[in-house]
Amino acid sequence: MDREYLEELLTRVKDGELAVEEALEVLRDFPYADTGFAAVDSHRPLRTGYAEVVFCQGKTPAQVVAITEKLVKSGLPVLATRATPETYSAVLSQFPNASYNEPARTITIPGEKLIERRGAVAVVTAGTADIRVAEEAAATAEFMGCDVNRFFDVGVAGLHRILDKMKEIRHADAVVVAAGMEGALPSVVGGMVDVPVIAVPTSVGYGASFGGIAALLGMLNSCANGVVVVNIDNGYGAGYTAALIARRAETK
Amino acid sequence: MDREYLEELLTRVKDGELAVEEALEVLRDFPYADTGFAAVDSHRPLRTGYAEVVFCQGKTPAQVVAITEKLVKSGLPVLATRATPETYSAVLSQFPNASYNEPARTITIPGEKLIERRGAVAVVTAGTADIRVAEEAAATAEFMGCDVNRFFDVGVAGLHRILDKMKEIRHADAVVVAAGMEGALPSVVGGMVDVPVIAVPTSVGYGASFGGIAALLGMLNSCANGVVVVNIDNGYGAGYTAALIARRAETK
Amino acid sequence: MDREYLEELLTRVKDGELAVEEALEVLRDFPYADTGFAAVDSHRPLRTGYAEVVFCQGKTPAQVVAITEKLVKSGLPVLATRATPETYSAVLSQFPNASYNEPARTITIPGEKLIERRGAVAVVTAGTADIRVAEEAAATAEFMGCDVNRFFDVGVAGLHRILDKMKEIRHADAVVVAAGMEGALPSVVGGMVDVPVIAVPTSVGYGASFGGIAALLGMLNSCANGVVVVNIDNGYGAGYTAALIARRAETK
Amino acid sequence: MDREYLEELLTRVKDGELAVEEALEVLRDFPYADTGFAAVDSHRPLRTGYAEVVFCQGKTPAQVVAITEKLVKSGLPVLATRATPETYSAVLSQFPNASYNEPARTITIPGEKLIERRGAVAVVTAGTADIRVAEEAAATAEFMGCDVNRFFDVGVAGLHRILDKMKEIRHADAVVVAAGMEGALPSVVGGMVDVPVIAVPTSVGYGASFGGIAALLGMLNSCANGVVVVNIDNGYGAGYTAALIARRAETK
Amino acid sequence: MDREYLEELLTRVKDGELAVEEALEVLRDFPYADTGFAAVDSHRPLRTGYAEVVFCQGKTPAQVVAITEKLVKSGLPVLATRATPETYSAVLSQFPNASYNEPARTITIPGEKLIERRGAVAVVTAGTADIRVAEEAAATAEFMGCDVNRFFDVGVAGLHRILDKMKEIRHADAVVVAAGMEGALPSVVGGMVDVPVIAVPTSVGYGASFGGIAALLGMLNSCANGVVVVNIDNGYGAGYTAALIARRAETK
Amino acid sequence: MDREYLEELLTRVKDGELAVEEALEVLRDFPYADTGFAAVDSHRPLRTGYAEVVFCQGKTPAQVVAITEKLVKSGLPVLATRATPETYSAVLSQFPNASYNEPARTITIPGEKLIERRGAVAVVTAGTADIRVAEEAAATAEFMGCDVNRFFDVGVAGLHRILDKMKEIRHADAVVVAAGMEGALPSVVGGMVDVPVIAVPTSVGYGASFGGIAALLGMLNSCANGVVVVNIDNGYGAGYTAALIARRAETK
Amino acid sequence: MDREYLEELLTRVKDGELAVEEALEVLRDFPYADTGFAAVDSHRPLRTGYAEVVFCQGKTPAQVVAITEKLVKSGLPVLATRATPETYSAVLSQFPNASYNEPARTITIPGEKLIERRGAVAVVTAGTADIRVAEEAAATAEFMGCDVNRFFDVGVAGLHRILDKMKEIRHADAVVVAAGMEGALPSVVGGMVDVPVIAVPTSVGYGASFGGIAALLGMLNSCANGVVVVNIDNGYGAGYTAALIARRAETK
Amino acid sequence: MDREYLEELLTRVKDGELAVEEALEVLRDFPYADTGFAAVDSHRPLRTGYAEVVFCQGKTPAQVVAITEKLVKSGLPVLATRATPETYSAVLSQFPNASYNEPARTITIPGEKLIERRGAVAVVTAGTADIRVAEEAAATAEFMGCDVNRFFDVGVAGLHRILDKMKEIRHADAVVVAAGMEGALPSVVGGMVDVPVIAVPTSVGYGASFGGIAALLGMLNSCANGVVVVNIDNGYGAGYTAALIARRAETK
């Protein structure tokens, strides 16, 4: 396409249809206004239908409302993460169809076009304290059109709990595992499924858990295959990648 | 199959073809030799055809040969990682069809059954020093039946290099990015593709790179969506997960 | 027992008392519904009489009350750790026989069956600021049926204090030593007793104590034999393990 | 000059114009009261016109007012950094011409003598959360007489944003780049300009960003030439050095 | 006894049987020559029959031989840890009944008096690379008179391996678990036994395992009860404490 | 003296002046009440007149008052460190002659016996923010009877400031240098005096100062001779050791 | 020029002098060979005359020779850093005019066009052990056409050494200061000059210097204005940035 | 004396005995050759008789010989630390009266003037592996004219060992305590003496001792008064400071 575009442009110059000066103007912006633009802008992949995500932390409710407004006007669905109840109130007063997932701290507003449901994501936690992070992952994957199954509080100290759920977990196209403390659960899950496991260390723990570092290191050093890791408490990132994987996975 | 196996066994007991005592012997090993085995032993997922992987570090050439022997006898393909030339010599003297990927330090022996080629993985490096790790990822993904494209030495300090390759990289179903030093390349790639990026920090660098920690932290904190991380220098793990993703991805 | 169970099941199939289909259903859950379940569930060793422990941190008073209710109904004794006074109020209003150990922040409710008193645990602290952690250890060991002797504020800077108490400390079957700052006390105690010393680093200190890391490292590097370590401020874990040891120890 | 001063002094002693005792008094303070003084006191380079900078953190409003008073009396311009609104109120009530840059948290009061405008500094941020730090850099460079251009929220995850601005950024004599999270932006900018890049890691991020350490390490390990680093959140230091460079740079 | 000793001494002074000067001499050494001495010297608990342990690291073969000589002369059994083959050769040439455990790097020489066999210790490893450390633990516990059962290479990535062995492991009075990488195995074992688990992090791993720190942190943060930790690679310490526990445990 | 005491005691027993039982009572406390006491209890070296020091952090005002009461009754002088204004109010209401050093956060009450003034300590700070820590050092040294000279805000960025003061600083018998940020001042001072320099890192700074770690490491790595270090913000420890040195130093 | 080049190309297409196909070929490489090239490829800023720099670490002598060959053929000067004597031998055998700076470990080959000498850089070290790093900085700055003055072994523990040299150092347009251990020298120098100070921490030191971390932290926390930092031992980076600054600085 | 020197110089100028030009030459070097020299050059305090110390690490034998030559010519005694046997051979061949302390790795050559013996230093170690560091401290203090008593292998795990020696240790004017592993010994010693304790962490240990960091942190957090710390393995620094203290201490 680029080549065709360029070819056409040059031909029009050759044919005198386009002034040299005008062609120069076009070429000056070439890397950004054409393919290039689409290329670099995968961050906001409107074309993919995943839409914008608003990271609320460090933004005022007013700022979040303003950004939301712009998105809604474009007919896009909205996902806002790390949203406080205050931020939700502000958004709700403007957009009555906004809904809030309290443990996940996410706000969602459906877009004009429904996202086709596709792909199955399992979200697993070691303890109940990891649920906030897990819910952020779940909300993100659901927003991106995946079916999400939750398996909470199935940590390794009572192994029967996770064993009991493995059959169901194996139906997923991607598994998110959130765990704090020693972060051992992803290794155990990774040893029992044949799809990627996105491990999310959580800052749950005390003493030498160092706000999630112990869990992070445990997960990076996992002896199981297919385990990859995201940042501490980054439920959003885990859910996003799990959805990327699941949506393109062949139906088993 | 598992179910069928069990059903058959029970039917034979019912029909008096199999003594209770004999059935007991079979069932004693049930969790490992049958369903259970498949379930827990995804580490060695024979059914998926991914076969065994031998981690050579800390094993003597003789030990590696012994394990290889067992696998070859079962008709399975063999992938051995972190293999020294000495180990390769030992393996080669027994298995003349063993081949060695020197930068990747991997040995492969084809199995009896060919793995169907499927899924495309792009393997990208920031510098030439990251190639060893990248080749391990590439060799692993190829062993698992994926097509692999290599894009080496395209780090962010000369941005045109990576921009030049983006069109090709976007054809992959999963992207592995290996980088040392500041580990910035996965963020740049992650911002330009809509498939998962498996970031591998490498221990390349000096001073405050701390043997890959700087790159690891950079990757964990990536501001791009869809970036997940494996352990420092863990090319194998990155290639394995990329292949898991790519093999089940729908053809674009 | 497992074997017998299986044998019976197979015999019933053989004898036509159990349909193959029904036997299949039973075998599908076999690892969790039978021995397996008991096996993995040592986490909540009802059979041992140690009962449930409720970790209150991160739970609302209402949640703690709900869990407590379930335990009390089963006739089990209750130990809740890291309980705030608010949580205690909530529990007390429902269970008038609940008692609160303020420095330990533990709530206890006796069970229907009294635990036989057995085993002696010594709990030692370096300073007065370590007492909160030590009391959690003491309360836990007492809850598990051990006799506990406390030896507080006997740190190494005034060595006569600990020397003075050694005779008494040597009567214990296990010793818990809680210390912050340089964490030297377990080494000194470990050099003078012939039972295991469970060292608990506390987050007491300032500057380069790094919230207990200095003490933790000191304890891990102890030059004395028989010293083992638990997480920073983990009085509960220390008391639990000390009780495990003491309860099974032969009377001297 | 020193030599001349000393020569004159000795000549006056020789000529009996100065008593030995008096010369001794002068020589006693020689290293500090004369050239030496100017030498060591570059910290407060009054002669260069850069004037005093007041670091408000840890100072009461009253203390800041007192220092400001002294500077204003000397006819010097005033820059106060890390100033709270309270401190500004206190200063404003005394000096009605004081102005406050809220995001930068700086107070400025013009001096009697205008600083000649000279040198161009570009201040770039990866995200909107880095703006506070960037504004401190900008305010400092402006105070020192430089023209400052701001390029905010042009992080690497959407590469077209920074590419779009490069032409303008290249006009600067020095570039300040503030980034948190993985801190990759300075490498990208450093690869595209031929003037020094002052990288400022910001404490923006969460999880394994460790309050700016991830960004700091990323910047120190930058694979681009001409990238130098200042302390986490040290916008003032970055702006100061950028201005030092820019003011003495030849006009392109 | 102390009191009686002192009483007798004073009585003898009172009765004129002991000169004041002589009593003074006795009292000067009082804290070390009497009970006190035995008290503090538990490090070398001759009375307990555990005998001396020689830490060979940093000692020349000649030095080890010299220390060994002294112990053998006293009729004591000898355990030397971290012994190189060279050290063993030197010891063997003097003491033909010395034996060497190569993976454990321990030398043992039986004492005159046989230690009564008592207590059962299970030694478990996650991988084969952890065996050196585990064997040091096993050799130590055996030296102290315990029966030791080894369960090697049963890490969590193939969970069936450890599940398969749990029945046997539960027979032990104390369990040592050695694991590198993510260090998850002690949590899994701790959740399934009701005796103390001594976790030994090993320096096995690469990348962000940091020579055992990842495993160490994982173990300290274990969510299972009854898990205590020793220093990285400290097989000796784990075996010693396990034996302390096992030898005094009641027979189940 | 010890020997004399014991000799006298034994002689009195011998002479029938002291019953064996009474002597036993005395000897029971022997290690603490007599020589032993002096030996081990240097922490509270009453004989040296340094008296008790009360560390208030983590103690309630009531607890501090109670301890103070005991000391005052014994006629001892009192020094309480890390005392809040609230604690001072509580103490003052009981002891009207108590005085409070606000920046140092110390309370002092003179004892019955005046401590002879002796030894000169210089207390130096790099910045004004280090003064709190420096004042704690100064107050401690003054309490122990030393003359203290303060040299504040003489950091290395304006070298003339410290050079200007060196002549006076050299009169001290020991120098305390408190500095945050890069902690360079002790090296500069250490290079110019021939008495010990006690370096106190302070938690002053931001970003990569890590609450004093940067300063601590700088001081430990000082290239100057005679520089020793205490914990971060440990003004008390620095002042105490400086006084120990100064009081016994010969008058120059 | 870029614009002119494009204009000329388009004009030639318009005038039929260049076929569309040929113009396409040219434009295909457009981003790298023309404006784009200059834009992104500042890493190899041929136009500025700074030429290529070859980082030899991790490259074989043969690889370095090959890269050198390409550069020499283009008439460019060559700077190779981190070159071993072996690499130099290999280069010398091909390029007899190659010269080697042993302490700096740099190889240089003059280009066809002489670089105009311009700008003055001072390179300062704290100790003699820092000289290797400093020489790399000096060789780099000289290669880029700057005059370099060296001031070695002038650390802060003997302050007169650096004071003695300050007059000369102040003539520089940029100052590089290399220091290990506590890294205090840049603060002292930064307090006495009014040009930027590029601080290079070196890995010189022992104990808690942690391979340069102590010096790095000290420099990042410098209390002097105008101090910026590069990676540990990164003499090349410091020299490069110093030259960038110095070459464009106005003659004083 | 300085003053006298200057007075004399000025008087000679006044009296016409010295030309202004000549006086200028003298004054040019004034800060280093006279008072200034003494002031800043305490690093090499010739006047105090402590003489030069040569740090051999990183210096060739030839370089050490050259420096030694210069010192010997000036009649000064020589102390060279971190000297390898090779360096000693080189020195010995030139200076037959050079002697070598092997464990301390120090070379000494007596000066023309004998240093008056004065002050008592005790050097204590926890284990035998700490002796190398302790000997460096001892050799340094002896070189500076102190009497040194050594108390080796008296660590806290066998407390009677150190208790046994306390009476002798208390005779010292300053105590050096070298310890690795948990670094607890200085706290114990510090609690029993009333002179300063210079704690030297050693890099002895394994696992989580982190090359001396555990011991360093333990010592910095010592709960005993009068404990100050030097860098890991810095025996020289500890011995130097101990001697500074001891030489000026009053005879008890």
Side-chain angles (χ1 to χ4, degrees), chain B residues 160-184:
Chain B
H160 65 291
R161 298 180 299 182
I162 183 69
L163 292 178
D164 204 24
K165 302 295 184 191
M166 279 318 306
K167 204 165 188 176
E168 285 175 76
I169 293 173
R170 278 196 206 101
H171 289 138
D173 298 307
V175 183
V176 170
V177 183
M181 302 175 83
E182 80 266 62

Side-chain angles (χ1 to χ4, degrees), chain B residues 155-159 162-163 180-184 187-188 190-192 205-210 213-215 217-225, chain D residues 155-159 162-163 180-184 187-188 190-192 205-210 213-215 217-225:
Chain B
V156 299
L159 209 54
I162 183 69
L163 292 178
M181 302 175 83
E182 80 266 62
S187 290
V188 167
M192 297 195 286
Y206 60 99
S209 73
F210 302 133
I213 297 181
L217 293 182
M219 291 167 178
L220 284 169
N221 286 286
S222 175
C223 51
N225 288 324
Chain D
V156 300
L159 209 54
I162 182 70
L163 292 177
M181 303 176 83
E182 81 267 64
S187 290
V188 167
M192 297 196 285
Y206 61 99
S209 72
F210 301 133
I213 296 180
L217 292 182
M219 291 167 178
L220 285 169
N221 286 286
S222 175
C223 51
N225 288 323

Side-chain angles (χ1 to χ4, degrees), chain C residues 156-157 159 163 181-182 184 187-188 191 206 208-210 214 217-218 220-224, chain H residues 156-157 159 163 181-182 184 187-188 191 206 208-210 214 217-218 220-224:
Chain C
V156 299
L159 210 53
L163 292 177
M181 302 174 82
E182 81 267 63
S187 291
V188 167
Y206 60 98
S209 73
F210 302 132
L217 292 181
L220 284 169
N221 286 286
S222 174
C223 51
Chain H
V156 299
L159 209 54
L163 292 177
M181 301 175 84
E182 82 266 62
S187 291
V188 167
Y206 60 98
S209 73
F210 301 132
L217 292 182
L220 284 169
N221 286 286
S222 173
C223 51

Side-chain angles (χ1 to χ4, degrees), chain C:
Chain C
M1 188 171 89
D2 306 342
R3 194 187 166 89
E4 289 165 35
Y5 180 86
L6 267 181
E7 199 170 349
E8 188 197 319
L9 183 135
L10 290 168
T11 307
R12 289 178 62 207
V13 168
K14 187 183 157 220
D15 297 350
E17 292 173 15
L18 196 70
V20 163
E21 202 61 24
E22 283 169 315
L24 264 173
E25 279 312 288
V26 170
L27 283 172
R28 191 180 53 96
D29 292 334
F30 168 76
Y32 322 118
D34 192 27
T35 321
F37 177 81
V40 263
D41 204 0
S42 75
H43 187 211
R44 262 164 294 223
L46 309 184
R47 301 153 305 143
T48 61
Y50 298 159
E52 293 273 351
V53 175
V54 188
F55 185 70
C56 297
Q57 200 168 290
K59 296 207 179 73
T60 62
Q63 288 176 316
V64 174
V65 168
I67 299 171
T68 300
E69 210 145 38
K70 232 159 79 180
L71 292 169
V72 169
K73 271 188 189 152
S74 323
L76 292 167
V78 178
L79 170 63
T81 62
R82 306 276 161 120
T84 57
E86 289 70 40
T87 296
Y88 174 55
S89 297
V91 170
L92 186 65
S93 69
Q94 293 290 101
F95 307 98
N97 61 337
S99 59
Y100 190 54
N101 178 333
E102 203 199 308
R105 287 169 297 164
T106 53
I107 301 169
T108 42
I109 304 179
E112 284 174 6
K113 204 171 71 179
L114 272 189
I115 298 173
E116 172 210 11
R117 301 226 68 81
R118 213 193 140 167
V121 171
V123 176
V124 181
T125 76
T128 52
D130 306 313
I131 289 176
R132 281 173 78 88
V133 171
E135 278 293 347
E136 192 185 58
T140 302
E142 284 172 340
F143 177 75
M144 286 170 73
C146 293
D147 288 325
V148 174
N149 275 296
R150 292 157 172 83
F151 304 88
F152 291 168
D153 197 18
V154 293
V156 299
L159 210 53
H160 65 291
R161 298 180 299 183
I162 183 69
L163 292 177
D164 207 23
K165 302 294 183 191
M166 279 318 306
K167 203 164 189 176
E168 286 176 75
I169 292 173
R170 281 198 204 99
H171 289 137
D173 298 308
V175 182
V176 171
V177 183
M181 302 174 82
E182 81 267 63
L185 189 56
S187 291
V188 167
V189 173
M192 296 194 288
V193 299
D194 57 3
V195 297
V197 170
I198 321 289
V200 201
T202 68
S203 53
V204 169
Y206 60 98
S209 73
F210 302 132
I213 297 180
L216 170 63
L217 292 181
M219 290 166 179
L220 284 169
N221 286 286
S222 174
C223 51
N225 287 325
V227 175
V228 290
V229 185
V230 297
N231 201 355
I232 297 166
D233 287 340
N234 188 5
Y236 165 70
Y240 190 96
T241 303
L244 275 191
I245 296 169
R247 286 191 71 75
R248 292 192 54 220
E250 265 187 1
T251 319
K252 284 197 197 189

Side-chain angles (χ1 to χ4, degrees), chain D residues 1-14 18 23-24 26-31 34-36, chain G residues 167, chain H residues 6 9-10 13 19-31:
Chain D
M1 187 172 89
D2 304 342
R3 193 187 166 88
E4 288 165 35
Y5 179 85
L6 267 181
E7 198 169 349
E8 188 197 319
L9 182 138
L10 289 169
T11 308
R12 287 178 63 208
V13 168
K14 187 184 157 220
L18 195 71
L24 265 174
V26 170
L27 284 172
R28 193 180 52 98
D29 291 335
F30 166 77
D34 193 30
T35 320
Chain G
K167 203 164 188 177
Chain H
L6 267 182
L9 183 136
L10 290 169
V13 169
V20 163
E21 202 61 25
E22 284 169 312
L24 265 174
E25 279 313 288
V26 171
L27 284 172
R28 192 179 53 95
D29 292 336
F30 166 77

Side-chain angles (χ1 to χ4, degrees), chain D residues 50-79:
Chain D
Y50 297 158
E52 294 273 351
V53 175
V54 188
F55 186 68
C56 298
Q57 201 168 291
K59 296 205 178 75
T60 63
Q63 287 175 316
V64 174
V65 168
I67 298 172
T68 300
E69 210 144 38
K70 230 159 81 180
L71 291 169
V72 168
K73 269 188 189 153
S74 324
L76 291 166
V78 178
L79 171 64

Side-chain angles (χ1 to χ4, degrees), chain G residues 82-224:
Chain G
R82 306 275 162 121
T84 58
E86 291 67 42
T87 296
Y88 175 54
S89 297
V91 170
L92 186 65
S93 69
Q94 293 291 99
F95 308 96
N97 62 337
S99 59
Y100 189 55
N101 178 333
E102 204 199 306
R105 288 168 296 164
T106 54
I107 301 169
T108 41
I109 305 178
E112 284 175 6
K113 206 170 74 179
L114 273 188
I115 298 173
E116 175 209 8
R117 300 225 70 79
R118 205 182 155 179
V121 171
V123 176
V124 181
T125 77
T128 53
D130 306 314
I131 290 177
R132 282 172 79 89
V133 172
E135 278 292 345
E136 192 184 60
T140 302
E142 283 171 341
F143 177 75
M144 286 170 74
C146 294
D147 288 325
V148 173
N149 275 295
R150 289 155 173 86
F151 305 89
F152 290 168
D153 198 19
V154 295
V156 300
L159 209 54
H160 65 291
R161 298 180 299 183
I162 183 70
L163 292 177
D164 206 24
K165 301 295 182 189
M166 278 319 303
K167 203 164 188 177
E168 285 177 74
I169 292 172
R170 280 197 204 100
H171 289 138
D173 298 307
V175 183
V176 171
V177 183
M181 302 175 83
E182 81 266 62
L185 190 55
S187 290
V188 166
V189 174
M192 296 196 287
V193 299
D194 55 4
V195 297
V197 170
I198 321 290
V200 200
T202 69
S203 53
V204 169
Y206 61 98
S209 74
F210 301 132
I213 297 180
L216 171 63
L217 292 183
M219 291 167 178
L220 284 170
N221 287 286
S222 175
C223 50

